[in-house]
Amino acid sequence: MKHIYQILLAAMVLLAAPTGLTAQNNLNPIQNEDGLYGFKDQDNKVVIPCQWIHAGLFSEGLAPVMDDNDKYGYINNTGKLVIPCKWSDTMYFSEGLAPVQDENGKWGFIDKKGRVIIPCKWIHAFFSTMDWLQP
């Protein structure tokens, strides 16, 4: 029975995931022949040079990127690093907040200016948009 609840919870989390994780501003991550990531526009023109070890999709105008020290930060749609690369892991922004993982493996949330809003002291962090589950 425990496994059924775990499967149901996982399904609910997947179904509740925001649909905003698409190419915002018509920018898509690309990887060059050296394995570095940047972004191209809808005309396949590189608009943010390939300089990152990893790059994720834009959400709320920011995209997570990994530098050569294996730390994550966020760039805006012009490629400017607006939140320094100091996090072990990151996720997308939703409603102005993004989960981030510190060097101790604990999760918290930052705002779009990089300020810690919820301290990194949690084993897991994720968003839930399942308003129908609330009393």
Side-chain angles (χ1 to χ4, degrees), residues 25 27 39 47-49 51 58 61-62 75-82:
N25 305 323
L27 299 180
F39 291 85
V47 294
I48 298 175
Q51 60 185 353
F58 278 88
L62 300 176
I75 61 170
N76 65 17
N77 62 0
T78 66
K80 179 181 177 186
L81 186 66
V82 295

Side-chain angles (χ1 to χ4, degrees), residues 3-62:
H3 295 292
I4 292 173
Y5 288 122
Q6 290 173 336
I7 292 169
L8 287 173
L9 178 61
M12 288 177 6
V13 168
L14 290 173
L15 290 173
T19 58
L21 290 180
T22 58
Q24 292 185 351
N25 305 323
N26 296 317
L27 299 180
N28 288 298
I30 57 167
Q31 187 177 25
N32 69 10
E33 59 279 350
D34 296 325
L36 298 176
Y37 286 82
F39 291 85
K40 65 179 181 175
D41 63 15
Q42 62 189 9
D43 297 322
N44 285 328
K45 177 183 173 192
V46 176
V47 294
I48 298 175
C50 295
Q51 60 185 353
W52 304 103
I53 302 300
H54 186 264
L57 294 173
F58 278 88
S59 62
E60 297 189 7
L62 300 176

